[in-house]
Amino acid sequence: MARASRKQSIPVWAAEAGPHAEFVVSTRVRLARNFEGYPFAHLLSDEQRDQIWKRLLESLGQSEDFSTCQFSPLAKLPRRERLKLVEEHMLSPHMERPAPGAGMILSPEKDLAIMINEEDHLRIQIILPGLQLERGWERAEALDCRLEEVAAFAFHNDLGYLTACPTNLGTGMRASVMLHLPGLILNGQMGNLIGVLYGNDVMVRGFYGEGTRVHGNIFQLSNQKTLGRSESAILDELHKVTLQVIEKERTARKVLMAENRVSLENDVRRSLGIILYASAVSFEEALELLSMVRLGSEVGILGAEVRDFNLALTALGDAHLQRVARGETPEGEIDRRRADLLRTFVEER
Amino acid sequence: MARASRKQSIPVWAAEAGPHAEFVVSTRVRLARNFEGYPFAHLLSDEQRDQIWKRLLESLGQSEDFSTCQFSPLAKLPRRERLKLVEEHMLSPHMERPAPGAGMILSPEKDLAIMINEEDHLRIQIILPGLQLERGWERAEALDCRLEEVAAFAFHNDLGYLTACPTNLGTGMRASVMLHLPGLILNGQMGNLIGVLYGNDVMVRGFYGEGTRVHGNIFQLSNQKTLGRSESAILDELHKVTLQVIEKERTARKVLMAENRVSLENDVRRSLGIILYASAVSFEEALELLSMVRLGSEVGILGAEVRDFNLALTALGDAHLQRVARGETPEGEIDRRRADLLRTFVEER
């Protein structure tokens, strides 16, 4: 068992390109689980939280399956490390200030991330590059079985898995894909599409999930319902909808090129100019600029391309740009470092 | 006498750098004059306008003094040529649609421009690069004497020269300087300064004079009063005020560098990036961008400089970018040509 170390690796979803990488940044399959015989997490005493954490540590910490994983009590991680995990989409933004007993089990590739004592006792997560819902589910299911060996999960024969929030009841599964959809945004179709998807039980959310804003034209699609359908039916439907959205994005790009090529080229080239020359850039703007240059490159109107778009999404975050774990960086310094790093993600051909 | 030709030369104010060129684009001395025995221009019949134009043509057209000048009946100039003259600040914007009998006498260097049958029978203008109020006045005065040989001017012993609008009564002189003042704008001091100058009988106007907007942080300062003071007293005062404004601009730049260097550098570098990469730019934006890059270069925070700033002010105008005298250019094409030309005004060191 590896202890939490300052040296963090790059998540595999950010480091590698997966299936449909042109449109799909990453896939996540998340299962909410709770142990029998304990109240839900928000009603746990500090002692009970500690019991759950210790029980997992004892049971899994010695196991061969988790031998390369980090077991981190979140409160003991330096704040910057927690913020980096949020920027890498390993932690929910609200877990940045962890409750006592909140912890995390993380694989070195960061494709496996189990949050402990969050909203539920366990949040089992598999995060992969590109569109890999089936693979994500297989791995999450295997992990689910392995964790049930620790202690029995709260389960109801009619309802399925019991969860702290009723929106997770049943399968306890939230599957999601992160999509880069600049064409649909520029064409003004995204608003409509969100409504249509909602009617098809698919939720559209921002860059950091629930209640967060859209950055860099990146949207998270996820299943709305967790109850009354099997996991594979939910995943099949989300996979199908994702492919449809990709088709709509392809069409939107073709329409843009046919009807607004000149103004698109202008926007794209300006974005490139700002990336190459700005001396300070905010995170939000950096993602918008990269998104535009990436689009320009993908539709073939720009002699430049974005290298490692997925990596940029995490590496350009504030916490990733802090050089010292403790103490504040001078105001504006982060934006300047970001501008310097941002340039390296663009390559003129 | 040279007839109006399609081939237009570059005005000397745009082609050359004059005294205080870092701050002063150009100087203009304009005298409003009317011939005795005629009503003011707005009350003239078409025949009377024609008489005035012909009389000047006969008297000056054969003269050695005007042998290199163009004598142009404005209505006969192609519309694009008139628009180019407006962009070169030779013609008032409202003269773009000339009345019958409206004409222009223009020297090849475009430092001498006499408008005929505009608001007054004669508008004698000398336009020079940089700050040259005294030289401008000397030349305007000489021209004034030469033109009075054609016919006596309407003059009143108490009031001085009589003009169509009472705001020109007396000397009939409006002297003005075009100043590039980005520091005062960025520091937010310009609004206040305009009020102070107004209290000192100096008017501040936009890029094309009366009632026009500011472009590229360029302001026109001119004398408010024409009555009750001698020409030399008015010119001395305007010269003194101009030097004071230049000092204020110098101070504003120093303060910016001391207090906002980082954000200034960011703005300046972004402007450079857009100039180098944009594929379409409006006239207003082009001037804003050049103004910022010029400022950045002058305060020493940019490894790039603006060549021929004055020339850019005219060459980037819509009419200058039209390639065909007749017929419309496709929508957006002018902005694309402007972007291409704009790049050539910037040189990376």
Side-chain angles (χ1 to χ4, degrees):
Chain A
M1 173 183 73
R3 286 277 159 199
S5 103
R6 298 277 161 85
K7 189 90 189 155
Q8 295 272 351
S9 66
I10 298 165
V12 67
W13 74 259
E16 290 178 17
H20 297 280
E22 193 178 337
F23 304 98
V24 188
V25 172
S26 62
T27 296
R28 167 191 315 246
V29 176
R30 183 269 283 158
L31 304 175
R33 297 290 185 260
N34 294 277
F35 292 117
E36 248 181 27
Y38 287 97
F40 286 130
H42 62 287
L43 298 173
L44 288 174
S45 66
D46 286 358
E47 290 71 29
Q48 286 173 313
R49 290 169 186 277
D50 206 43
Q51 267 177 35
I52 290 175
W53 172 247
K54 286 213 172 110
R55 198 157 165 182
L56 284 162
L57 204 60
E58 277 158 27
S59 171
L60 306 177
Q62 308 303 325
S63 153
E64 196 53 44
D65 304 348
F66 294 89
S67 62
T68 58
C69 287
Q70 279 183 13
F71 287 67
S72 310
L74 283 178
K76 288 193 183 156
L77 272 188
R79 181 162 178 268
R80 184 177 74 123
E81 292 306 321
R82 291 199 302 268
L83 289 171
K84 282 175 79 172
L85 289 171
V86 171
E87 289 175 357
E88 291 170 354
H89 300 255
M90 298 293 123
L91 264 188
S92 320
H94 68 272
M95 283 289 275
E96 191 269 296
R97 291 172 182 280
M104 184 153 209
I105 304 174
L106 199 59
S107 69
E109 303 81 16
K110 296 182 176 170
D111 52 350
L112 177 167
I114 306 170
M115 286 193 281
I116 294 126
N117 292 323
E118 200 227 21
E119 188 181 297
D120 294 291
H121 299 162
L122 291 178
R123 289 274 173 115
I124 301 167
Q125 299 181 104
I126 298 296
I127 310 150
L128 301 172
L131 183 59
Q132 301 196 61
L133 284 163
E134 205 181 324
R135 176 98 187 95
W137 164 242
E138 284 165 12
R139 293 195 47 195
E141 196 184 19
L143 203 54
D144 186 30
C145 295
R146 180 66 188 80
L147 285 162
E148 197 154 20
E149 292 171 15
V150 177
F153 289 150
F155 188 86
H156 184 279
N157 277 337
D158 292 336
L159 295 171
Y161 292 101
L162 301 178
T163 53
C165 176
T167 58
N168 292 312
L169 208 58
T171 59
M173 183 181 77
R174 186 83 57 212
S176 63
V177 287
M178 283 278 204
L179 295 172
H180 182 227
L181 304 173
L184 288 164
I185 280 286
L186 291 173
N187 257 7
Q189 293 173 270
M190 202 60 209
N192 245 335
L193 184 60
I194 289 174
V196 172
L197 292 173
Y198 197 81
N200 284 299
D201 293 340
V202 170
M203 285 183 295
V204 181
R205 289 165 163 179
F207 188 63
Y208 292 114
E210 199 172 340
T212 65
R213 291 184 51 214
V214 172
H215 297 316
N217 303 316
I218 293 167
F219 295 84
Q220 192 199 73
L221 266 52
S222 62
N223 61 302
Q224 223 175 98
K225 294 185 181 164
T226 56
L227 188 66
R229 302 182 71 189
S230 71
E231 288 87 351
S232 62
I234 293 170
L235 292 163
D236 281 355
E237 182 60 24
L238 184 60
H239 184 83
K240 208 182 76 190
V241 168
T242 301
L243 293 180
Q244 284 167 354
V245 171
I246 289 175
E247 263 331 291
K248 282 189 193 300
E249 171 68 16
R250 271 192 225 276
T251 306
R253 292 181 184 190
K254 276 183 200 140
V255 171
L256 273 177
M257 284 295 281
E259 294 174 5
N260 287 300
R261 188 191 161 116
V262 167
S263 109
L264 179 64
E265 190 173 341
N266 195 22
D267 293 345
V268 160
R269 290 184 54 87
R270 282 163 180 261
S271 299
L272 178 61
I274 293 172
I275 289 178
L276 295 177
Y277 282 86
S279 48
V281 180
S282 73
F283 179 69
E284 291 74 13
E285 189 189 9
L287 263 47
E288 293 302 321
L289 294 169
L290 276 183
S291 170
M292 288 303 291
V293 171
R294 189 185 197 209
L295 173 65
S297 162
E298 285 172 351
V299 298
I301 54 171
L302 196 65
E305 62 187 345
V306 176
R307 293 185 305 109
D308 304 323
F309 182 69
N310 292 6
L311 180 60
L313 302 180
T314 68
L316 293 172
D318 280 21
H320 280 76
L321 290 161
Q322 296 265 8
R323 289 211 189 112
V324 261
R326 280 159 227 279
E328 289 302 308
T329 309
E331 204 199 311
E333 177 61 25
I334 294 285
D335 285 349
R336 291 197 288 284
R337 284 186 199 153
R338 185 158 24 232
D340 289 339
L341 183 61
L342 178 60
R343 271 190 285 284
T344 68
F345 283 101
V346 166
E347 208 157 61
E348 292 193 82
R349 284 189 292 249
Chain B
M1 173 182 73
R3 284 278 158 198
S5 106
R6 297 279 161 85
K7 191 87 188 156
Q8 295 271 350
S9 65
I10 298 165
V12 66
W13 74 260
E16 291 176 17
H20 298 280
E22 194 179 336
F23 303 99
V24 188
V25 172
S26 62
T27 296
R28 169 191 313 247
V29 177
R30 183 270 283 157
L31 303 176
R33 297 290 185 259
N34 293 279
F35 292 117
E36 249 180 25
Y38 287 98
F40 286 129
H42 61 286
L43 298 173
L44 288 173
S45 65
D46 286 358
E47 290 71 29
Q48 286 173 314
R49 289 168 186 278
D50 207 44
Q51 268 177 34
I52 290 175
W53 171 247
K54 286 214 171 109
R55 197 158 166 182
L56 284 162
L57 204 61
E58 277 158 28
S59 171
L60 306 177
Q62 308 303 325
S63 153
E64 196 54 43
D65 302 347
F66 294 88
S67 63
T68 59
C69 287
Q70 278 183 14
F71 287 66
S72 311
L74 283 178
K76 288 192 184 158
L77 272 189
R79 180 163 177 269
R80 184 177 76 122
E81 292 305 321
R82 291 198 302 267
L83 289 170
K84 283 176 81 171
L85 290 171
V86 171
E87 288 175 0
E88 291 170 354
H89 299 255
M90 298 292 124
L91 263 187
S92 320
H94 67 272
M95 284 289 274
E96 191 269 297
R97 291 173 183 277
M104 183 153 210
I105 304 173
L106 199 59
S107 69
E109 302 81 15
K110 295 182 176 169
D111 52 349
L112 176 167
I114 307 171
M115 286 195 281
I116 294 125
N117 292 325
E118 200 227 22
E119 189 182 297
D120 293 290
H121 298 162
L122 291 179
R123 288 275 175 115
I124 299 166
Q125 298 181 104
I126 298 295
I127 309 151
L128 301 171
L131 183 59
Q132 301 196 59
L133 284 164
E134 204 180 323
R135 174 99 188 95
W137 164 242
E138 283 165 12
R139 291 196 47 197
E141 196 184 17
L143 203 54
D144 186 31
C145 295
R146 179 69 187 78
L147 285 163
E148 198 155 20
E149 292 171 15
V150 177
F153 287 150
F155 188 85
H156 183 281
N157 276 338
D158 291 336
L159 295 172
Y161 291 102
L162 301 178
T163 54
C165 177
T167 58
N168 292 312
L169 207 59
T171 59
M173 182 181 79
R174 188 84 57 212
S176 64
V177 286
M178 283 280 205
L179 295 171
H180 182 227
L181 304 173
L184 288 164
I185 280 286
L186 291 172
N187 257 7
Q189 293 173 272
M190 201 60 208
N192 245 337
L193 184 61
I194 289 174
V196 172
L197 291 173
Y198 197 82
N200 284 297
D201 294 339
V202 171
M203 285 181 296
V204 181
R205 289 165 163 179
F207 188 63
Y208 292 113
E210 199 172 340
T212 66
R213 292 184 51 216
V214 172
H215 297 316
N217 303 315
I218 293 168
F219 294 85
Q220 190 199 75
L221 267 52
S222 62
N223 61 303
Q224 221 175 100
K225 293 186 181 163
T226 56
L227 187 66
R229 301 183 71 189
S230 72
E231 287 88 350
S232 62
I234 293 170
L235 291 163
D236 281 356
E237 182 60 22
L238 184 61
H239 184 83
K240 207 182 77 192
V241 168
T242 301
L243 293 180
Q244 284 167 355
V245 171
I246 289 174
E247 262 333 290
K248 281 187 193 299
E249 171 67 17
R250 271 192 223 277
T251 306
R253 293 182 184 191
K254 276 183 200 141
V255 171
L256 273 176
M257 284 295 280
E259 294 174 7
N260 286 301
R261 189 191 160 118
V262 168
S263 111
L264 179 64
E265 190 173 342
N266 195 21
D267 293 344
V268 160
R269 289 184 53 87
R270 282 163 180 261
S271 298
L272 177 60
I274 294 172
I275 288 178
L276 295 177
Y277 282 86
S279 50
V281 181
S282 73
F283 178 69
E284 292 72 13
E285 189 189 9
L287 263 47
E288 294 302 321
L289 294 168
L290 277 183
S291 170
M292 288 304 291
V293 170
R294 188 184 198 211
L295 173 65
S297 162
E298 285 173 350
V299 299
I301 55 171
L302 197 65
E305 62 187 346
V306 176
R307 293 185 305 110
D308 304 322
F309 182 70
N310 292 7
L311 180 60
L313 302 181
T314 68
L316 293 171
D318 279 20
H320 280 75
L321 290 161
Q322 296 265 8
R323 290 212 187 109
V324 261
R326 279 159 229 279
E328 288 303 307
T329 308
E331 203 197 311
E333 177 63 24
I334 294 285
D335 284 349
R336 290 197 288 284
R337 284 187 198 153
R338 185 156 28 231
D340 288 339
L341 183 62
L342 178 60
R343 271 190 285 283
T344 68
F345 283 100
V346 166
E347 209 158 61
E348 292 194 80
R349 285 189 293 249

